[in-house]
């Protein structure tokens, strides 16, 4: 982790007293999805957001991405208030089918952002070649998304945001739809890529093991409504991590205990 | 299946009739509403069709057992089967009647000769093609000298003439004539009385009906005659009936009544007119099997009911 | 059974069966009521001999084709606008839901007035028949574009205009295509109405005009031709769609079942 | 904007706008060609005064309703059979794909011949318009029943007949309902054709015959009534469906967008 | 595990030399999905079938269920050749949405099999009450499936097959679509229910940890095509199992190693 100080600065995410509410049918009554969230993520960090289903993880991520407007509070990226989506923040979605462009092949999907910014063709190819190779899709450049497996599609999403050179990656349960084995190998690779590229990552999941394999810090969100981040665990282990090592298992148990009482049907 | 009559009723002279009518003809509507059919022991139903041709077609499938129409569809019908003409409606044959068919043309057309190369309207399924044929012949032209546009209604002709998409159209009916006459850039060139063409109207029924219930058929003719009288004497009442039954606007009914009056008859002229039109239809292939018009006439009932009106001698 | 489910065998059998039933029915009811296959064939030969049937087919096909293409070309941008612009949609939807119960044939007089008695009014009627179905399907497609796609494009730096061109339109292609294909059916249906307007030729004219002379055999000829060219052009469009639009997710050329 | 997107406000604004455009157009083209709102209103009053407009609406509605209900009642079992029995489907599908290009209006003469000049032929025409669309949708629904449901039922001990009754039919309900609702639209469209058959009342009669009298105002009255009753009955059916068929997955009463 | 001998007999599944092929487009050429599978499962056993995606696990399960016909070989349940679905074998599907009847509420879904067999209403209620309680859905009887969470839907499926008193449960990745935490609690409960009800279970998964938490024996399927069961692991641990215990982790690692070489993208 040796980013220049101004880059770290530029990618820092500062959240203070952030609220999001939707008005319910009975007028006037507000329904808070998340309430009073404080959080600070510094550039280059791998931050995991862990929480039960429906607690508002996606909502928070979408606010950072600029897709959803906050109700009140402070939400800054690189010192500037977030108002709309920006190229500095890229998103990897859970459903690759919904977010990839099925009419474009692997290469065209990866080059999409570059094309929108009118990069020259040769330059686009150079960049996409690099990142397609990085995520291990070399040889599949001309396949359409529907010809790929679930894991491969997520690799395309990853390559797409990396090619666009966004510094912050917002990942919303990107491996949630993969089978157990593919998921494991994707976790490994993501961790590697992150260490190579030094992006700032916010990674949403509800799998404790996954959180522990990937994250430097793990923020725990409470059950909704009006959820916020009550506790942040530091994960002190070196990468790559061994999920069967004793300290890993101990921390896993600890976090699990944290949820136990919150969880029934 | 409303057109089948029981033999027992025939004995009593009672007649069940389903009559194919058109929207603008008041005769049957009046006979029904004013109880004239009832008076003559006729149990009548009226089926309204958009054109006489469709009504006459309903004869073929036994949906109606009486119909009326102009020469053209009537000839077409009798050529096809066991149907007879039992009377002429008495309309259309006089010079005055013929004058009710007006030829409206765009102002560019000042004489028949100017029609060469122009678009003229043909009202599909009617005698108008025959009328054009004769009219053009009379002025040294043929059908090939003009472009004939088939049309399905006078509203179509009106719009097309107004916009200059056709140059000439034959029109009848008081309201329509007024409308066409008031079109800018359009004038009346002539009317049908200036041609040799006349077109009558006839009533036809299946032969079987005559055989089974001759008395009933006579009563039918008596009822029509009485209704025709009533119509002449009570135009306001007729206009009300027509509005109520088929939504024909009152002013339109009143205007038409001035020109169109049914008066059952059968004259030499009626026969001649039909014969000429039949020859044309055979020549044009509209009628496939030639036949003799006189074989399709069954005038005995009319002779008995209105003897003085039958002037045709076979 | 294996043989029966084989497509061509079964289709041929079907037609033999249909023709047999038809002939029997014609025998029972007589030729005025149901012209049998032979009578219909003779009627068709009559029309074929002077070339009129082929020219009728050509003319009707031309009208359907032009009206359908133009209607679709107008409908697609309208559907896109209605779908993308909430304020337009709020205004347009109730109007569309009202007008969709009004059949093309009701507009004959008005179209005559607006477009004259030439080809224009006939084609306009076909366009009307096409317009709403393509518009509605395009609209549905636009509203079905996954929010994630739009969000992804936006955070990859696409402008609103680029999102329309590079995301919304390609994502809507399968819906447009479905609409266009369904509209082809309604176009064929509208041809009779269209050819009631001052027409001297065409299959619609044949069907409609044969009423006046009670040529049920010709009506049958017209109906069969209409069904057949509809069937074959639909297949053709389906195949073309599958070939050309595979990328966009048009993967089957099978007839749309609805 | 907030106010504009509020439904009733926008609908009222829309109609005011439409009426304004209409009045302007009427001013330009003259009452023979486009009767304005006032002329149309007067025409409507004329028809309302003697009660004929209401009775026309009643009659047309009755015909549409009966034809639509009967058509649906016939179409649903046919759709189920075609969907469940592969051999029937192989035979029926090409035939259906052929016949769906033939419009109801083409059958006017034939239905007149087959069903007479009474109510039967008119209702038969509406039934024809309804039949295929409901059949096709039911068929689609049957083919879309998840294999897992059928398998689950079978291994829970259901017989083939029980599977049809307790699994296939309930699972197909939303498709049937969509078909029935779409068919309502085509039924209203077919009413003009139906009332060309020896009718002297009904909205279709009014629209078609007012041509003969040059009463374009009455044509407009007819069209507007057709659109309105179509719109409202569609809403009603939608609401009923949502209320009664919620269990089966009919969850929205919104108009079907296609 | 103390079932009477004749019951064990009756539920025994014997597979020998079993093949399944589909003919490919080029006529004559056969494409084997599974080839030459031998397997014997005795009554009351919890058997897990573990294998990579697409190897033919579902195909094998569907053959045992009687949904799919075998191409050749022997496939007997309780000594009789399987020819069609039977009430003795019940299936729990992965996609609850596709297999539950959405127009029936929880109770009606659970009673479906009983109704098909024309049980009296009172008897049906008695049985469904029992099993709804067993799977922990008491109080939710009148909800429709669409008003339930994913975990609850799988409980309904479980109650439905238990109420039908089938002795063999065939479960095809029943927890594959659940989130990590719900999945964990469902695993616990299934294991409990199995121990209470003494059913024979064949459980398909591709999650090694899940296999180890649940199964008495774990059959490993090779990658397709022509896959078969190459190796069967015995899991000697007592229930309930602790996934962070050393022997558990050791066995997990061993099985993982088994797959490693089979697994790339
Ligand atoms: N547009 C909206 N209007 C009202 N409520 C909403 C809206 N979007 C989300 N919610 C509610 O906000 C809550 C949080 O949703 P969110 O998708 O952020 O949860 P999540 O933690 O991402 O859940 P999951 O793990 O299932 O993805 C949910 O209860 C949801 O119903
Ligand atoms: N009806 C069929 N015709 C041809 N091939 C089939 C058919 N059904 C399944 N297959 C093929 O059989 C193979 C095994 O499929 P199966 O669904 O049994 O795998 P699986 O192990 O259950 O996979 P997953 O873990 O993804 O559920 C696949 O390659 C599939 O393509
Ligand atoms: Mg989420
Ligand atoms: Mg499977």
């Amino acid at each position: 982790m040796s980013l220049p100080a101004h880059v770290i600065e530029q990618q820092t995410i500062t959240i203070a007293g952030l609220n999001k509410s939707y008005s319910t049918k009975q007028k006037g009554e507000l329904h808070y999805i998340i309430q009073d969230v404080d959080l600070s993520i510094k550039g280059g960090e791998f931050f995991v957001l862990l929480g039960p289903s429906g607690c508002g993880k996606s909502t928070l991520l979408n606010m950072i991405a600029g897709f959803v407007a906050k109700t009140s509070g402070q939400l800054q990226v690189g010192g500037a208030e977030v108002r709309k989506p920006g190229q500095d923040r890229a998103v990897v979605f859970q459903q690759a089918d919904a977010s990839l462009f099925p009419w474009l092949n692997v290469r065209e999907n990866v080059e999409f952002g570059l094309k929108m910014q009118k990069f020259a063709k040769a330059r686009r190819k150079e960049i996409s070649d690099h990142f397609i190779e990085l995520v291990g899709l070399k040889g599949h450049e001309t396949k359409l998304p529907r010809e790929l497996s679930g894991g491969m599609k997520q690799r395309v999403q990853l390559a797409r945001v990396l090619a666009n050179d966004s510094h912050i990656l917002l990942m919303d349960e990107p491996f949630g739809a993969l089978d157990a084995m593919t998921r494991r190998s994707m976790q490994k690779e993501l961790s590697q890529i992150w260490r190579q590229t030094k992006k700032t990552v916010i990674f949403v999941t509800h799998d404790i093991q996954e959180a522990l394999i990937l994250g430097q810090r793990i923020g725990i969100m409470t059950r909704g409504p009006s959820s916020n981040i009550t506790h942040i665990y530091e994960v002190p282990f070196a990468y790559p991590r061994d999920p069967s090592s004793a300290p890993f298992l101990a921390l896993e148990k600890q976090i699990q205990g944290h949820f136990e009482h919150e969880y029934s049907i | 299946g409303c057109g089948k009559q029981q033999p027992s009723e025939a004995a009593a002279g009672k007649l069940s009739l389903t009559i194919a009518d058109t929207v603008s003809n008041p005769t049957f509507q009046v006979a029904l509403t004013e109880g004239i059919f009832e008076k003559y022991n006729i149990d009548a139903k009226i089926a309204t069709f958009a054109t006489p041709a469709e009504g006459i077609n309903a004869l073929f499938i036994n949906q109606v057992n009486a119909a009326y129409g102009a020469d053209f569809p009537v000839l077409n019908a009798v050529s096809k089967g066991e149907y007879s003409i039992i009377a002429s409606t008495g309309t259309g044959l006089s010079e005055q009647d013929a004058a009710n068919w007006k030829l409206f043309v765009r102002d560019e057309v000042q004489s028949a000769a100017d029609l060469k190369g122009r678009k003229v309207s043909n009202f599909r399924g009617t005698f108008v093609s025959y009328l054009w044929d004769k009219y053009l012949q009379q002025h040294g032209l043929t059908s090939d000298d003009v472009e004939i546009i088939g049309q399905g209604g006078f509203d179509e002709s009106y719009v097309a003439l107004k916009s200059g998409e056709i140059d000439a159209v034959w029109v009848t009916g008081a309201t329509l004539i007024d409308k066409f006459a008031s079109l800018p850039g359009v004038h009346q060139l002539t009317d049908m009385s200036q041609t040799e063409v006349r077109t009558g109207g006839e009533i036809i029924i299946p032969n079987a009906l005559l055989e089974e219930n001759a008395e009933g058929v006579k009563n039918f003719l008596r009822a029509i005659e009485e209704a025709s009288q009533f119509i002449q004497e009570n135009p306001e009442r007729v206009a009300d009936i027509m509005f109520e039954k088929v939504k024909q606007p009152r002013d339109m009914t009143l205007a038409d009544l001035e020109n169109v009056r049914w008066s059952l008859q059968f004259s030499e002229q009626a026969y001649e007119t039909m014969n000429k039109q039949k020859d044309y239809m055979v020549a044009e292939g509209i009628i496939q099997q030639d036949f003799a018009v006189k074989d399709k006439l069954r005038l005995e009932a009319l002779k008995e009911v209105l003897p003085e009106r039958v002037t045709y001698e076979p | 059974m294996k043989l029966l489910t084989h497509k061509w065998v079964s289709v041929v059998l079907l037609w033999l069966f249909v023709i047999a039933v038809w002939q029997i029915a014609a025998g029972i009811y007589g030729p005025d009521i149901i012209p049998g296959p032979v009578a219909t064939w003779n009627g068709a030969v009559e029309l074929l001999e002077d070339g009129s049937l082929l020219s009728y087919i050509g003319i009707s096909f031309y009208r359907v084709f032009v009206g359908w293409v133009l209607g679709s070309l107008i409908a697609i941008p309208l559907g896109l606008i209605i779908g993308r612009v909430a304020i337009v949609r709020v205004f347009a939807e109730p109007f569309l839901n009202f007008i969709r119960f009004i059949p093309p044939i009701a507009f004959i007089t008005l179209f005559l007035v607006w477009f004259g008695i030439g080809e224009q009014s006939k084609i306009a009627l076909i366009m009307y028949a096409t317009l709403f179905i393509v518009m509605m399907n395009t609209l549905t497609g636009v509203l079905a574009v996954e929010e994630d796609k739009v969000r992804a494009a936006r955070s990859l730096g696409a402008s609103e205009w680029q999102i329309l061109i590079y995301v919304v339109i390609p994502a809507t292609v399968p819906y447009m295509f479905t609409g266009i294909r369904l509209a082809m059916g309604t176009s064929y249906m509208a041809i009779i109405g269209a050819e009631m307007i001052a027409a001297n030729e065409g299959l619609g004219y044949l069907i409609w005009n044969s009423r006046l002379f009670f040529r049920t055999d010709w009506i049958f000829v017209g109906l069969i031709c209409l069904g057949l060219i509809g069937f074959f052009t639909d297949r053709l469009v389906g195949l073309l769609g599958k070939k050309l639009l595979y990328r966009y997710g048009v993967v089957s050329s099978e007839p749309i079942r609805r």
Side-chain angles (χ1 to χ4, degrees), chain A, chain B, chain C:
Chain A
M1 296 304 103
S2 55
L3 288 169
H6 75 277
V7 175
I8 295 182
E9 180 69 27
Q10 199 183 305
Q11 300 176 28
T12 296
I13 298 166
T14 317
I15 295 171
L18 187 67
N19 292 310
K20 176 72 200 175
S21 63
Y22 290 104
S23 51
T24 48
K25 276 191 180 165
Q26 299 84 343
K27 263 173 200 165
E29 214 185 300
L30 284 179
H31 173 75
Y32 279 90
I33 305 296
I34 63 171
Q35 197 165 23
D36 215 12
V37 170
D38 298 309
L39 183 65
S40 171
I41 298 167
K42 73 170 194 302
E45 184 177 347
F46 199 119
F47 185 86
V48 174
L49 204 54
L50 188 67
S53 197
C55 70
K57 303 182 296 296
S58 298
T59 303
L60 180 56
L61 207 70
N62 285 335
M63 283 196 284
I64 301 172
F67 299 148
V68 166
K70 68 188 176 198
T71 302
S72 63
Q74 194 189 5
L75 167 51
Q76 297 186 336
V77 171
E81 204 64 25
V82 168
R83 295 197 199 286
K84 58 186 176 92
Q87 245 172 273
D88 54 333
R89 287 151 288 144
V91 183
V92 175
F93 298 84
Q94 175 174 11
Q95 302 295 339
D97 285 325
S99 70
L100 287 179
F101 305 117
W103 55 89
L104 301 180
N105 65 27
V106 169
R107 181 185 299 286
E108 291 162 340
N109 263 290
V110 173
E111 291 181 0
F112 186 87
L114 304 172
K115 195 171 168 198
M116 294 303 105
Q117 293 150 55
K118 307 207 163 62
F119 275 59
K121 206 164 181 185
R123 181 82 190 106
R124 288 206 312 251
K125 181 160 185 317
E126 201 177 306
I127 297 174
S128 63
D129 270 344
H130 174 74
F131 288 102
I132 287 171
E133 178 150 17
L134 186 69
V135 300
L137 285 177
K138 212 177 156 148
H140 301 279
E141 288 88 346
T142 58
K143 286 190 179 158
L144 292 177
R146 85 182 71 122
E147 296 158 359
L148 304 178
S149 72
M152 289 161 90
K153 286 183 211 169
Q154 290 303 39
R155 286 163 205 265
V156 178
Q157 273 210 72
L158 206 53
R160 184 171 71 173
V161 298
L162 293 172
N164 210 39
D165 200 26
S166 311
H167 295 294
I168 300 174
L169 303 192
L170 306 171
M171 309 183 76
D172 193 354
E173 303 184 42
F175 307 148
L178 303 181
D179 69 69
M181 295 186 217
T182 313
R183 177 188 275 214
R184 208 136 308 170
S185 73
M186 287 295 294
Q187 286 163 357
K188 260 189 220 163
E189 285 187 48
L190 172 63
S191 194
Q192 259 167 27
I193 290 171
W194 167 66
R195 276 170 283 145
Q196 277 174 45
T197 57
K198 294 170 184 150
K199 303 286 178 184
T200 311
V201 179
I202 305 185
F203 187 102
V204 166
T205 183
H206 41 214
D207 183 334
I208 299 171
Q209 201 185 39
E210 182 168 80
L212 283 164
I213 289 175
L214 294 169
Q216 292 178 307
R217 290 195 299 155
I218 300 175
I220 310 286
M221 270 187 100
T222 58
R223 263 209 136 165
S226 303
S227 51
N228 59 4
I229 300 175
T230 48
H231 197 95
I232 294 180
Y233 288 89
E234 301 275 343
V235 188
F237 319 134
Y239 295 94
R241 289 165 178 170
D242 175 8
S244 60
S245 73
F248 188 106
L249 288 165
L251 190 50
E252 189 175 358
K253 265 212 158 146
Q254 192 189 341
I255 296 176
Q256 203 146 355
H258 199 122
F259 278 110
E260 216 79 308
H261 72 279
E262 297 223 28
Y263 244 71
S264 49
I265 305 175
Chain B
C2 3
K4 295 173 190 91
Q5 65 279 1
Q6 277 82 45
S8 56
E9 289 176 354
K14 186 173 171 67
L15 178 63
S16 288
L17 267 189
T18 306
I19 306 160
D21 199 1
T22 59
V23 170
S24 56
N25 173 35
T27 314
F28 300 124
Q29 294 288 4
V30 166
L32 188 65
T33 322
E34 291 299 311
I36 300 171
F37 278 138
E38 204 178 9
K39 175 177 157 192
Y40 286 101
N41 212 8
I42 295 169
D43 175 19
K45 287 196 194 69
I46 294 177
T48 315
F49 292 87
T51 62
E54 286 165 63
I56 288 171
N57 285 338
L59 274 176
F60 301 152
I61 51 174
N62 300 322
Q63 291 299 329
V64 300
N65 51 4
Y68 91 99
D71 296 344
F72 192 91
V74 164
L75 286 165
N76 192 34
V78 293
S79 76
K80 282 192 182 163
E82 305 295 302
Y83 306 100
S84 296
I85 295 162
I86 55 167
S88 157
T89 59
T91 55
L93 293 171
S94 70
E95 190 162 320
Q96 188 197 340
D97 288 340
N100 276 331
W101 278 95
K102 316 266 192 210
L103 178 60
F104 284 100
V105 294
R106 302 279 316 167
D107 286 348
E108 300 85 83
V109 180
Q110 290 297 335
S111 70
D114 292 344
L115 283 172
K116 201 167 159 69
R118 300 214 173 246
K119 291 180 178 149
V120 305
S121 163
N122 174 31
F123 201 149
R124 283 199 294 257
T126 68
F127 83 111
V128 169
S129 61
Y130 170 61
L131 174 54
W132 273 121
D133 194 70
K134 294 292 171 208
Y135 176 76
L136 292 171
Q137 229 173 57
Q138 188 182 339
H139 294 93
L141 297 168
T142 71
S143 310
D144 296 336
D145 292 323
V146 296
E147 188 182 335
I148 292 177
I149 308 285
Q151 296 193 304
F154 285 124
D155 58 336
E156 228 179 280
S157 315
Y158 177 77
V159 171
L161 188 65
K162 184 177 181 183
S163 65
E165 286 176 282
I166 56 170
D167 300 298
V169 57
W170 290 96
V171 178
T172 191
T175 316
L176 288 176
I177 287 169
D178 285 351
K179 273 203 177 290
F180 276 78
S182 64
L183 273 179
V186 166
H187 68 278
Q188 183 188 330
L189 184 62
T190 181
D191 63 48
M192 197 167 81
S193 65
Q194 309 298 312
T195 73
E196 59 170 289
V197 176
R198 299 290 179 270
T199 190
E202 292 80 26
I203 295 166
I204 67 172
I205 60 172
N207 292 347
L209 187 58
L210 262 174
E211 262 112 61
E212 284 163 17
N213 196 342
E215 193 53 38
V217 173
K218 285 176 208 154
N219 281 340
F220 180 42
L221 294 175
R222 288 187 188 107
I224 293 173
E225 182 58 20
E226 189 170 328
S228 307
Q229 300 283 343
F230 180 91
I231 288 167
Q232 285 200 29
E233 287 153 19
N234 305 285
E236 289 293 338
R237 170 80 188 125
V238 174
D240 286 346
I241 291 173
M242 291 303 279
F243 183 75
E244 190 194 320
K245 294 287 178 188
V246 296
K247 289 287 152 316
Q248 172 153 281
R250 287 186 183 78
D251 48 350
M252 204 165 157
T253 308
L254 291 174
D256 275 349
L257 284 182
E258 310 232 318
N259 302 314
V260 184
R261 289 181 181 146
W262 279 32
S263 158
L264 294 181
Q265 49 119 297
F266 204 90
S267 62
E268 197 67 41
Q269 191 199 5
Y271 172 78
E272 286 303 327
T273 308
M274 286 182 93
N275 217 14
K276 271 193 228 160
Q277 240 179 92
K278 185 216 70 181
D279 289 342
Y280 168 81
M281 290 169 82
V282 170
E284 290 292 305
I286 298 167
I287 291 175
Q288 271 138 12
Q289 282 287 312
D290 198 4
F291 64 94
V293 173
K294 64 177 187 324
D295 297 343
K296 299 290 181 183
L297 301 176
R298 297 286 293 273
L299 302 173
E300 57 272 23
L302 185 63
K303 267 186 194 147
E304 202 165 310
V305 175
L306 297 162
E308 74 287 3
R309 301 263 188 91
V310 183
T311 52
Y312 163 70
E313 295 290 341
Chain C
M1 181 67 199
K2 197 80 187 258
L3 193 69
L4 280 179
T5 51
H6 189 289
K7 222 173 152 190
W8 289 108
V9 177
S10 68
V11 167
V12 168
L13 269 179
L14 165 71
W15 285 113
L16 287 179
F17 176 75
V18 167
I19 288 172
V21 169
W22 178 13
Q23 182 64 67
I24 291 166
I28 296 170
Y29 291 99
D32 266 349
I33 292 185
I34 303 181
V38 179
T40 305
W41 177 249
N42 291 339
V45 167
E46 207 176 326
L47 290 169
L48 276 169
E49 269 169 359
D50 65 347
S52 53
L53 187 58
L54 283 180
S55 87
Y56 284 4
I57 290 176
I59 283 163
S60 290
F61 177 75
Y62 162 80
R63 285 170 182 157
V64 166
F65 184 77
V66 174
W68 170 71
V69 169
L70 290 180
S72 300
L73 286 181
I74 294 173
I76 287 174
L78 285 178
L80 289 171
I81 291 169
I82 296 173
R84 285 300 285 176
V85 189
I87 186 102
V88 174
R89 186 163 66 252
V90 165
F91 276 81
E93 277 221 88
F95 187 67
L96 293 178
N97 283 321
F98 166 81
I99 216 163
R100 73 194 183 88
F101 294 99
I102 301 178
I105 205 174
F107 284 96
I108 286 187
T109 313
L110 290 177
F111 279 16
L112 199 66
V113 169
W114 294 337
F115 304 109
I117 58 167
E119 288 301 301
Q120 277 177 38
S121 55
K122 300 175 187 70
I123 288 170
L125 208 78
I126 305 278
M127 281 171 65
Y128 174 82
T130 301
L131 202 64
F132 291 97
I133 211 152
V134 178
M135 211 150 91
M136 284 303 206
N137 274 277
T138 306
L139 166 62
T140 308
V142 171
L143 296 176
V145 176
E146 285 113 328
E147 187 60 26
D148 278 2
K149 284 198 181 42
V150 175
R151 287 177 168 182
R154 193 166 283 143
S155 67
L156 288 167
S159 66
E160 290 305 305
W161 182 248
Q162 283 177 321
I163 287 174
L164 180 67
I165 302 295
Y166 293 107
V167 181
V168 174
I169 292 179
T172 309
V173 163
Y175 289 83
M176 293 177 191
F177 183 70
T178 301
I180 286 174
R181 237 179 126 183
L182 288 172
M184 169 164 273
T186 53
S187 296
Y188 279 107
M189 289 217 177
I191 191 69
I192 293 187
E195 290 180 352
M196 280 183 194
I197 306 174
N200 292 325
E201 37 193 8
L203 289 175
Y205 166 83
L206 179 67
I207 293 169
W208 192 244
N209 208 41
S210 300
R211 292 167 65 231
L212 297 177
F213 301 104
F214 212 68
R215 290 293 301 259
T216 38
D217 55 341
W218 285 357
I219 296 183
F220 265 65
V221 172
L223 294 183
I224 291 170
C225 290
L226 206 57
L228 283 179
I229 60 168
F231 180 82
F232 284 113
T233 49
D234 182 64
R235 284 291 154 111
L236 189 70
V237 170
L239 282 174
L240 277 178
K242 190 179 161 186
K243 265 231 142 47
L244 302 178
L245 303 177
Y246 172 77
R247 279 203 154 209
Y248 298 93
V250 177
V251 289
S252 164
S253 70
E254 285 302 292
I256 299 165
R257 282 202 185 95
R258 66 179 197 215

